Amino acid sequence: MLISLRVRREWIMREPTILLTGLTGILGREITPRLLARHPDARVLAIVRGRNHGQVAERMDEVQRYLRLYWPEVDLSRLFPLPGDVSRPFLGLEEEVYRRLTRCVTLIIHG
């Protein structure tokens, strides 16, 4: 499931929100389930690179299959991909989305 390119207004000032880069890499696949388990009330937003939404969805599906296999007890409903690219301005996100993230993200993990 791809998250809307709009960061939901209700996320601001609610649950802890973690911004994660490198989700699809080895480190990201190991950090993510631990974050979800250790912070059961947190939402994890992951910047996922891709040329289009289809490619982002494919990469996300691959990660979710891995996590379901090795971490079946983890609640993946709190993991949301954000199509972007950390090497680009505003993390490859629309400027408004980036600005909303700056108001709601409580922890950043750059993997």
Side-chain angles (χ1 to χ4, degrees):
M1 164 181 79
L2 288 180
I3 193 170
S4 167
L5 286 180
R6 295 181 168 202
V7 174
R8 297 177 186 167
R9 187 171 294 133
E10 66 267 18
W11 290 358
I12 298 173
M13 302 303 289
R14 287 191 56 202
E15 298 92 353
T17 301
I18 300 168
L19 181 65
L20 175 67
T21 67
L23 169 70
T24 60
I26 293 170
L27 186 59
R29 291 175 188 221
E30 293 301 317
I31 288 174
T32 302
R34 288 172 172 83
L35 283 173
L36 291 167
R38 187 169 187 183
H39 302 282
D41 59 339
R43 168 177 291 107
V44 177
L45 306 177
I47 303 289
V48 179
R49 244 185 344 200
R51 281 178 250 141
N52 53 50
H53 285 290
Q55 190 177 42
V56 170
E58 285 176 21
R59 295 183 85 191
M60 192 63 192
D61 288 344
E62 180 184 326
V63 168
Q64 287 180 333
R65 279 193 304 273
Y66 174 88
L67 293 176
R68 282 189 197 105
L69 179 64
Y70 293 103
W71 298 86
E73 71 284 357
V74 172
D75 178 12
L76 296 178
S77 70
R78 296 180 292 118
L79 175 61
F80 300 93
L82 285 173
D85 184 340
V86 297
S87 69
R88 304 204 55 195
F90 304 112
L91 303 175
L93 305 169
E94 294 176 9
E95 187 174 351
E96 177 58 27
V97 172
Y98 177 84
R99 297 223 184 280
R100 286 189 184 193
L101 283 176
T102 64
R103 293 190 301 263
C104 73
V105 169
T106 54
L107 175 66
I108 299 171
I109 299 177
H110 181 47

mmCIF file of all heavy atoms in Angstrom, residues 20-32 46-48 63 86 109-111:
data_model
loop_
_atom_site.group_PDB
_atom_site.id
_atom_site.type_symbol
_atom_site.label_atom_id
_atom_site.label_comp_id
_atom_site.label_asym_id
_atom_site.label_seq_id
_atom_site.Cartn_x
_atom_site.Cartn_y
_atom_site.Cartn_z
ATOM 1 N N LEU A 20 12.156 6.743 8.194
ATOM 2 C CA LEU A 20 13.230 5.784 7.963
ATOM 3 C C LEU A 20 13.671 5.834 6.511
ATOM 4 O O LEU A 20 12.846 5.871 5.602
ATOM 5 C CB LEU A 20 12.721 4.375 8.298
ATOM 6 C CG LEU A 20 13.634 3.190 8.020
ATOM 7 C CD1 LEU A 20 14.846 3.224 8.944
ATOM 8 C CD2 LEU A 20 12.880 1.890 8.184
ATOM 9 N N THR A 21 14.984 5.846 6.304
ATOM 10 C CA THR A 21 15.521 5.695 4.953
ATOM 11 C C THR A 21 16.220 4.345 4.898
ATOM 12 O O THR A 21 16.611 3.788 5.928
ATOM 13 C CB THR A 21 16.526 6.808 4.599
ATOM 14 O OG1 THR A 21 17.688 6.663 5.409
ATOM 15 C CG2 THR A 21 15.919 8.183 4.794
ATOM 16 N N GLY A 22 16.362 3.803 3.721
ATOM 17 C CA GLY A 22 17.073 2.537 3.569
ATOM 18 C C GLY A 22 16.256 1.306 3.908
ATOM 19 O O GLY A 22 16.810 0.243 4.168
ATOM 20 N N LEU A 23 14.944 1.423 3.892
ATOM 21 C CA LEU A 23 14.065 0.300 4.239
ATOM 22 C C LEU A 23 14.366 -0.948 3.427
ATOM 23 O O LEU A 23 14.372 -2.058 3.967
ATOM 24 C CB LEU A 23 12.597 0.699 4.029
ATOM 25 C CG LEU A 23 11.575 -0.431 4.106
ATOM 26 C CD1 LEU A 23 11.455 -0.925 5.541
ATOM 27 C CD2 LEU A 23 10.236 0.014 3.566
ATOM 28 N N THR A 24 14.619 -0.807 2.148
ATOM 29 C CA THR A 24 14.756 -1.973 1.276
ATOM 30 C C THR A 24 16.136 -2.628 1.352
ATOM 31 O O THR A 24 16.327 -3.702 0.801
ATOM 32 C CB THR A 24 14.436 -1.612 -0.184
ATOM 33 O OG1 THR A 24 15.340 -0.600 -0.623
ATOM 34 C CG2 THR A 24 13.003 -1.108 -0.315
ATOM 35 N N GLY A 25 17.062 -2.003 2.058
ATOM 36 C CA GLY A 25 18.393 -2.578 2.218
ATOM 37 C C GLY A 25 18.461 -3.538 3.392
ATOM 38 O O GLY A 25 17.502 -3.725 4.143
ATOM 39 N N ILE A 26 19.605 -4.152 3.566
ATOM 40 C CA ILE A 26 19.798 -5.143 4.623
ATOM 41 C C ILE A 26 19.571 -4.515 6.001
ATOM 42 O O ILE A 26 18.859 -5.071 6.834
ATOM 43 C CB ILE A 26 21.208 -5.770 4.530
ATOM 44 C CG1 ILE A 26 21.312 -6.595 3.251
ATOM 45 C CG2 ILE A 26 21.505 -6.629 5.754
ATOM 46 C CD1 ILE A 26 22.713 -7.050 2.927
ATOM 47 N N LEU A 27 20.154 -3.360 6.234
ATOM 48 C CA LEU A 27 20.000 -2.704 7.526
ATOM 49 C C LEU A 27 18.543 -2.315 7.779
ATOM 50 O O LEU A 27 18.007 -2.540 8.864
ATOM 51 C CB LEU A 27 20.903 -1.469 7.597
ATOM 52 C CG LEU A 27 20.962 -0.750 8.930
ATOM 53 C CD1 LEU A 27 21.457 -1.680 10.028
ATOM 54 C CD2 LEU A 27 21.871 0.467 8.814
ATOM 55 N N GLY A 28 17.898 -1.764 6.767
ATOM 56 C CA GLY A 28 16.501 -1.365 6.905
ATOM 57 C C GLY A 28 15.591 -2.530 7.231
ATOM 58 O O GLY A 28 14.651 -2.409 8.021
ATOM 59 N N ARG A 29 15.856 -3.677 6.635
ATOM 60 C CA ARG A 29 15.027 -4.871 6.880
ATOM 61 C C ARG A 29 15.202 -5.402 8.304
ATOM 62 O O ARG A 29 14.346 -6.105 8.815
ATOM 63 C CB ARG A 29 15.375 -5.974 5.892
ATOM 64 C CG ARG A 29 14.944 -5.644 4.485
ATOM 65 C CD ARG A 29 15.418 -6.697 3.515
ATOM 66 N NE ARG A 29 15.168 -6.273 2.148
ATOM 67 C CZ ARG A 29 14.718 -7.077 1.214
ATOM 68 N NH1 ARG A 29 14.501 -8.345 1.476
ATOM 69 N NH2 ARG A 29 14.510 -6.618 0.000
ATOM 70 N N GLU A 30 16.310 -5.082 8.920
ATOM 71 C CA GLU A 30 16.539 -5.519 10.301
ATOM 72 C C GLU A 30 16.091 -4.459 11.313
ATOM 73 O O GLU A 30 15.613 -4.807 12.394
ATOM 74 C CB GLU A 30 18.016 -5.872 10.506
ATOM 75 C CG GLU A 30 18.447 -7.096 9.734
ATOM 76 C CD GLU A 30 17.657 -8.346 10.092
ATOM 77 O OE1 GLU A 30 17.403 -8.584 11.297
ATOM 78 O OE2 GLU A 30 17.281 -9.097 9.171
ATOM 79 N N ILE A 31 16.248 -3.203 10.981
ATOM 80 C CA ILE A 31 15.840 -2.124 11.886
ATOM 81 C C ILE A 31 14.317 -2.026 11.965
ATOM 82 O O ILE A 31 13.753 -1.851 13.044
ATOM 83 C CB ILE A 31 16.427 -0.775 11.428
ATOM 84 C CG1 ILE A 31 17.920 -0.745 11.685
ATOM 85 C CG2 ILE A 31 15.737 0.392 12.131
ATOM 86 C CD1 ILE A 31 18.598 0.487 11.144
ATOM 87 N N THR A 32 13.642 -2.117 10.838
ATOM 88 C CA THR A 32 12.202 -1.888 10.773
ATOM 89 C C THR A 32 11.393 -2.760 11.724
ATOM 90 O O THR A 32 10.589 -2.224 12.496
ATOM 91 C CB THR A 32 11.708 -2.039 9.323
ATOM 92 O OG1 THR A 32 12.408 -1.105 8.512
ATOM 93 C CG2 THR A 32 10.218 -1.782 9.235
ATOM 94 N N ALA A 46 8.592 5.330 5.529
ATOM 95 C CA ALA A 46 9.855 4.931 4.909
ATOM 96 C C ALA A 46 9.980 5.554 3.524
ATOM 97 O O ALA A 46 9.101 5.379 2.676
ATOM 98 C CB ALA A 46 9.931 3.412 4.799
ATOM 99 N N ILE A 47 11.065 6.279 3.315
ATOM 100 C CA ILE A 47 11.361 6.821 1.987
ATOM 101 C C ILE A 47 11.835 5.653 1.121
ATOM 102 O O ILE A 47 12.810 4.972 1.459
ATOM 103 C CB ILE A 47 12.476 7.894 2.042
ATOM 104 C CG1 ILE A 47 12.103 9.036 2.993
ATOM 105 C CG2 ILE A 47 12.807 8.405 0.649
ATOM 106 C CD1 ILE A 47 11.015 9.929 2.520
ATOM 107 N N VAL A 48 11.114 5.407 0.032
ATOM 108 C CA VAL A 48 11.447 4.290 -0.863
ATOM 109 C C VAL A 48 11.666 4.849 -2.266
ATOM 110 O O VAL A 48 10.799 5.523 -2.815
ATOM 111 C CB VAL A 48 10.320 3.226 -0.884
ATOM 112 C CG1 VAL A 48 10.675 2.095 -1.835
ATOM 113 C CG2 VAL A 48 10.067 2.692 0.514
ATOM 114 N N VAL A 63 9.910 -6.222 0.524
ATOM 115 C CA VAL A 63 10.262 -6.031 1.935
ATOM 116 C C VAL A 63 9.201 -6.652 2.839
ATOM 117 O O VAL A 63 9.524 -7.325 3.818
ATOM 118 C CB VAL A 63 10.442 -4.526 2.258
ATOM 119 C CG1 VAL A 63 10.515 -4.289 3.756
ATOM 120 C CG2 VAL A 63 11.678 -3.983 1.572
ATOM 121 N N VAL A 86 16.406 10.313 -1.139
ATOM 122 C CA VAL A 86 17.129 11.146 -0.173
ATOM 123 C C VAL A 86 18.218 12.003 -0.806
ATOM 124 O O VAL A 86 18.682 12.950 -0.184
ATOM 125 C CB VAL A 86 17.722 10.304 0.980
ATOM 126 C CG1 VAL A 86 16.624 9.629 1.769
ATOM 127 C CG2 VAL A 86 18.733 9.304 0.483
ATOM 128 N N ILE A 109 15.710 7.967 11.237
ATOM 129 C CA ILE A 109 16.778 6.963 11.165
ATOM 130 C C ILE A 109 17.196 6.868 9.708
ATOM 131 O O ILE A 109 16.412 6.486 8.855
ATOM 132 C CB ILE A 109 16.316 5.594 11.700
ATOM 133 C CG1 ILE A 109 15.919 5.744 13.162
ATOM 134 C CG2 ILE A 109 17.410 4.553 11.502
ATOM 135 C CD1 ILE A 109 15.387 4.496 13.784
ATOM 136 N N HIS A 110 18.445 7.250 9.455
ATOM 137 C CA HIS A 110 18.968 7.245 8.088
ATOM 138 C C HIS A 110 19.823 5.992 7.919
ATOM 139 O O HIS A 110 20.908 5.891 8.441
ATOM 140 C CB HIS A 110 19.774 8.500 7.855
ATOM 141 C CG HIS A 110 20.346 8.624 6.483
ATOM 142 N ND1 HIS A 110 19.612 8.401 5.352
ATOM 143 C CD2 HIS A 110 21.582 8.959 6.065
ATOM 144 C CE1 HIS A 110 20.378 8.600 4.282
ATOM 145 N NE2 HIS A 110 21.577 8.923 4.699
ATOM 146 N N GLY A 111 19.256 5.007 7.206
ATOM 147 C CA GLY A 111 19.941 3.736 7.040
ATOM 148 C C GLY A 111 20.573 3.660 5.697
ATOM 149 O O GLY A 111 20.976 2.730 5.151
#
